[in-house]
Amino acid sequence: QKTSFHRSQTLDFKNGYAFSRLPREGVGGDTLFANQLSQDELDDLCTRGSTLTYGQVRRSAPSSFTPAFVAYDKKVLKFDAYFQEEVAISAEEHYRIRHVGIYYYLEDDSMCVIEPKVKNSGLVQGKLMRRHRVPKNEQGDYYHWKDLNLGIDLTMYGRTYRLVNCDSFTKVFLESQGIEVNPPEEMVLDPYTEQRRTPVQKPNVPAGPDPFRQFLTYDTKVLRFYAIWDDTNCAFGDHHPCVIHYFLADDTVEVREVHRRNDGRDPFPVLMRRQRLPKIFADKNKNFPSCVLEITDHEVQEWYSPKDFAIGKSITLLGRTFLIYDCDKFTQDFYREKYGITDFQPVDVNKKPTEKAPQVIPPYNGFGIPEDSLQNCLSLFPKPPRKDIIKMLENNLKVLRYQVALESPVPEDKNRRFILSYFLSDDTIGIYEPPVRNSGIPGGKYLKRTKVTKPGSTPEKPIYYEPSDFTIGSTIEVFGHRFVIIDADEYVLNYLERNAESFPAATVQSIRDHFHPQQVVVETASSGFPKKDLDDLIVEVQKELKLHHEPFNTRKFHEAFHHFDPEGSGFLDKTRFLNVCDRFHVPTSTILLKKLIDYCSCGEDKVNYRDFL
């Protein structure tokens, strides 16, 4: 009559640690007696005294256990059997004997039925029943290897198999399990198969022609001709290479077109399907719809035969004319044996290359450079002209600069000066006009970087300006404007002297003569002043100007000298030079400045103001 069966709590936490303690009460709140053993426990202690003293008795190892799927792995019982199948729709056989092999797998007691495949049997052969456990009856029992033996009928899924033989492993296994194996039986053969294997007496062939003799003799033998279909009379027509196949087995003809890559035509395989082609039609009514109805032997008087095909002969097939120009080796042997033809020289049908019409380049329209405009005439999608990458890398940032004057009848243009830059990387020219205050001309970029043609060159063969064309005093015509070269950068002289073999001697000598008076002054002064003394003199002059002279506008000082030198020669009269220095309060009367002016003087009345500056 106990109703409470709860147990007391034995799990607890103390100081953050989990621990277990002994129960204080029994199940359902019963009182627990400390160190009290039951009678069964006391009896067990009495009987196990030796065990407590000497330990547990060592028991013998249990026998090893091998599962069935390991013991019988890859062990199969094989029985030879057959079954009888009814044939209801054949007049030659009423039943059929089919030989099978029944396989029993010992590892999982599964079975499968496999029928060996017979070539051209017309039956679905192979695995007739997949591997699985086969039910034996409706009570849920399955076939076991104890149920198998020779000379018995085995029914599986409504089909009865007769077991007639087995292999040696199956026989040894069954006998080892105490089963008496019945003697093997003879395999029953299929009567229809045996009837087919018996030789059939061939009937005597009559002396007349056999309608099937041609098919049996010439089967898989085809005459091959290479022909050309001339379709140039039609719009967008062309010469189509074709292959004509003549099948000797049934006198049919097939025409296939040979397609080439990018020939612009649909790559359909057959131009004319395999069929008998009429050569001569019989007399028929004009209203006969021959294009709709099939042509029979009554409408055709003569069909095409092998004698109608020959190399070099034109043949019309269904309204298309083909020129046969060659054939293969089998065709040559066939005509040589049957018709005695020995001439098989192929006909040359290759078209002669047409002369390419010269391309007429339209005249230059003046937009852009001629090379860029020419690309629109060479391709549908113009590409930019190709650049000389090697030249651009070798001459990168190399620029020849010249000072030029505008040759113009307008008086205001006589004093205009320009900087002409020649870029060696791509042979382009850019012109820049330095702005001059109060001149009325804004200055800036006069000509953006572009190639400039020489006067007299044609747009078809443009001739561009080169560094050899720029000499002191030469005239450069740029798009109708004439410029005269009056000065050059010192880099021009250095570049021309380093590459003197690439430029005419007259060009190099012109630049050298222009810089010769300046070099004469420097050499003359240097001969009187050693380099160290000259450097000391320049330092002393700079110190004196800083101590005794107020700072002045250097740009105006330069512009004043250039104003009195309109030709840009770099030389001024000594009197005018001293007047300009007095205007800017330069103490030319001091000894140091007199020495510097003497250093920059050229003769008695000329001073190189560029060296002085």
Side-chain angles (χ1 to χ4, degrees):
Q1 299 178 357
K2 188 175 182 177
T3 59
S4 179
F5 297 95
H6 65 273
R7 301 182 63 182
S8 60
Q9 178 69 22
T10 59
L11 302 177
D12 200 355
F13 278 90
K14 186 175 183 180
N15 296 332
Y17 293 92
F19 69 98
S20 61
R21 52 184 170 79
L22 297 176
R24 299 176 181 177
E25 296 178 350
V27 177
D30 296 342
T31 304
L32 292 178
F33 299 97
N35 299 328
Q36 182 176 357
L37 300 178
S38 62
Q39 187 63 34
D40 295 339
E41 293 174 346
L42 293 175
D43 295 342
D44 185 51
L45 290 175
C46 294
T47 57
R48 294 178 60 184
S50 60
T51 303
L52 295 175
T53 304
Y54 301 104
Q56 187 71 25
V57 179
R58 182 177 297 178
R59 297 180 181 179
S60 60
S63 60
S64 60
F65 172 73
T66 304
F69 67 89
V70 175
Y72 297 120
D73 184 30
K74 298 181 181 180
K75 294 183 179 181
V76 183
L77 306 182
K78 195 259 184 179
F79 296 90
D80 297 331
Y82 69 90
F83 68 93
Q84 181 176 327
E85 183 181 29
E86 294 184 359
V87 180
I89 59 175
S90 177
E92 299 180 359
E93 56 178 344
H94 302 286
Y95 66 93
R96 184 181 297 124
I97 301 298
R98 300 176 64 175
H99 300 167
V100 297
I102 300 177
Y103 296 86
Y104 185 93
Y105 297 88
L106 295 173
E107 56 179 329
D108 56 356
D109 298 328
S110 60
M111 300 175 63
C112 71
V113 179
I114 298 177
E115 180 182 8
K117 291 185 178 181
V118 179
K119 188 176 181 181
N120 297 329
S121 65
L123 302 176
V124 179
Q125 297 176 324
K127 184 177 287 187
L128 300 183
M129 186 181 71
R130 65 178 179 84
R131 176 181 173 181
H132 66 290
R133 296 190 67 186
V134 181
K136 181 179 179 181
N137 48 39
E138 296 180 355
Q139 285 73 24
D141 298 333
Y142 295 96
Y143 276 111
H144 195 260
W145 52 267
K146 298 179 181 179
D147 302 325
L148 304 180
N149 205 336
L150 301 184
I152 65 173
D153 294 333
L154 191 66
T155 302
M156 294 183 293
Y157 297 108
R159 181 175 289 176
T160 302
Y161 299 89
R162 183 68 178 182
L163 279 60
V164 297
N165 203 349
C166 65
D167 58 0
S168 59
F169 171 78
T170 304
K171 185 177 180 180
V172 172
F173 176 80
L174 293 178
E175 291 177 350
S176 65
Q177 299 298 326
I179 297 177
E180 183 179 356
V181 180
N182 299 329
E185 298 179 358
E186 185 178 358
M187 179 67 72
V188 179
L189 302 178
D190 183 32
Y192 181 74
T193 304
E194 295 299 319
Q195 181 184 356
R196 291 289 304 271
R197 290 178 179 175
T198 57
V200 180
Q201 295 182 359
K202 295 183 179 180
N204 296 327
V205 180
D210 188 1
F212 301 104
R213 185 178 183 83
Q214 180 181 0
F215 174 79
L216 297 176
T217 305
Y218 296 109
D219 187 26
T220 69
K221 295 182 180 180
V222 183
L223 305 181
R224 177 177 294 178
F225 302 92
Y226 303 99
I228 288 290
W229 171 33
D230 189 359
D231 191 29
T232 55
N233 295 331
C234 301
F236 308 105
D238 197 2
H239 291 85
H240 303 268
C242 302
V243 177
I244 301 176
H245 292 152
Y246 187 94
F247 297 87
L248 296 173
D250 53 358
D251 294 327
T252 55
V253 180
E254 177 191 61
V255 181
R256 290 178 174 267
E257 185 176 0
V258 179
H259 293 279
R260 294 184 176 87
R261 190 175 183 180
N262 298 329
D263 58 359
R265 289 188 288 272
D266 293 334
F268 54 87
V270 180
L271 181 64
M272 294 184 188
R273 65 177 178 84
R274 180 178 175 180
Q275 58 183 315
R276 293 188 70 187
L277 295 179
K279 180 180 179 182
I280 301 175
F281 286 93
D283 296 337
K284 62 180 180 179
N285 189 2
K286 295 182 179 179
N287 297 328
F288 181 76
S290 59
C291 63
V292 178
L293 299 179
E294 295 183 357
I295 300 175
T296 61
D297 295 339
H298 301 286
E299 289 83 17
V300 180
Q301 183 177 353
E302 184 180 355
W303 301 88
Y304 275 107
S305 60
K307 63 181 180 181
D308 299 320
F309 296 85
I311 296 178
K313 185 177 181 180
S314 297
I315 186 171
T316 302
L317 304 177
L318 299 182
R320 295 178 177 86
T321 302
F322 298 87
L323 173 62
I324 301 176
Y325 65 89
D326 199 2
C327 61
D328 61 354
K329 187 177 184 304
F330 172 78
T331 306
Q332 295 177 9
D333 297 339
F334 176 80
Y335 277 88
R336 187 181 295 109
E337 294 176 1
K338 189 167 185 177
Y339 298 102
I341 300 175
T342 57
D343 186 12
F344 300 101
Q345 184 67 25
V347 180
D348 187 10
V349 294
N350 296 326
K351 295 188 296 184
K352 296 182 179 179
T354 58
E355 296 182 0
K356 188 176 181 180
Q359 185 178 11
V360 179
I361 304 299
Y364 176 57
N365 56 6
F367 292 96
I369 60 176
E371 288 81 358
D372 196 7
S373 301
L374 181 62
Q375 299 298 322
N376 295 275
C377 305
L378 300 180
S379 62
L380 184 61
F381 300 98
K383 298 180 181 179
R386 299 187 65 178
K387 298 180 180 180
D388 191 352
I389 304 299
I390 303 301
K391 182 178 180 181
M392 293 177 64
L393 295 176
E394 291 179 351
N395 300 308
N396 187 27
L397 303 178
K398 293 183 180 180
V399 184
L400 305 181
R401 293 182 175 86
Y402 303 87
Q403 186 178 17
V404 296
L406 181 61
E407 188 179 87
S408 174
V410 181
E412 289 79 3
D413 295 339
K414 291 185 177 180
N415 295 328
R416 296 177 66 180
R417 297 294 180 267
F418 300 86
I419 304 300
L420 186 146
S421 301
Y422 186 90
F423 298 88
L424 295 172
S425 60
D426 54 358
D427 299 330
T428 55
I429 294 177
I431 299 179
Y432 174 79
E433 182 180 8
V436 179
R437 294 183 65 181
N438 300 327
S439 63
I441 301 174
K445 184 183 292 185
Y446 187 80
L447 175 69
K448 74 172 186 178
R449 186 173 173 179
T450 183
K451 287 186 176 183
V452 180
T453 57
K454 292 183 180 180
S457 62
T458 60
E460 292 78 12
K461 295 182 179 180
I463 302 175
Y464 298 102
Y465 278 107
E466 299 178 353
S468 59
D469 300 322
F470 298 98
T471 58
I472 301 300
S474 62
T475 302
I476 306 300
E477 184 174 343
V478 180
F479 301 114
H481 299 272
R482 298 170 62 85
F483 295 90
V484 180
I485 299 177
I486 59 177
D487 196 3
D489 195 356
E490 292 185 4
Y491 177 76
V492 178
L493 178 61
N494 297 333
Y495 180 79
L496 295 181
E497 289 180 346
R498 287 197 305 267
N499 304 275
E501 67 279 357
S502 303
F503 300 99
T507 303
V508 181
Q509 188 62 33
S510 173
I511 304 299
R512 189 181 290 119
D513 293 344
H514 175 70
F515 286 95
H516 182 67
Q518 304 176 21
Q519 295 176 358
V520 170
V521 173
V522 175
E523 292 174 359
T524 303
S526 299
S527 61
F529 292 90
K531 186 176 186 305
K532 185 176 183 305
D533 296 343
L534 179 59
D535 294 341
D536 294 341
L537 175 62
I538 294 174
V539 172
E540 294 297 331
V541 170
Q542 292 176 351
K543 290 181 180 179
E544 185 174 353
L545 289 176
K546 290 180 180 180
L547 293 174
H548 299 87
H549 187 65
E550 296 180 358
F552 56 91
N553 195 334
T554 306
R555 185 173 60 83
K556 291 183 178 180
F557 191 46
H558 286 221
E559 290 178 356
F561 282 114
H562 289 292
H563 177 71
F564 290 103
D565 186 19
E567 298 180 356
S569 61
F571 296 91
L572 287 179
D573 295 339
K574 196 168 186 178
T575 304
R576 182 169 294 178
F577 173 80
L578 296 176
N579 293 335
V580 173
C581 292
D582 293 340
R583 284 176 54 189
F584 289 90
H585 307 289
V586 177
T588 56
S589 59
T590 60
I591 298 175
L592 294 176
L593 283 173
K594 284 184 178 181
K595 288 184 179 182
L596 187 60
I597 292 173
D598 293 340
Y599 172 80
C600 299
S601 298
C602 182
E604 297 293 337
D605 56 347
K606 294 288 184 180
V607 178
N608 189 340
Y609 66 86
R610 291 182 178 174
D611 292 344
F612 179 78
L613 293 176

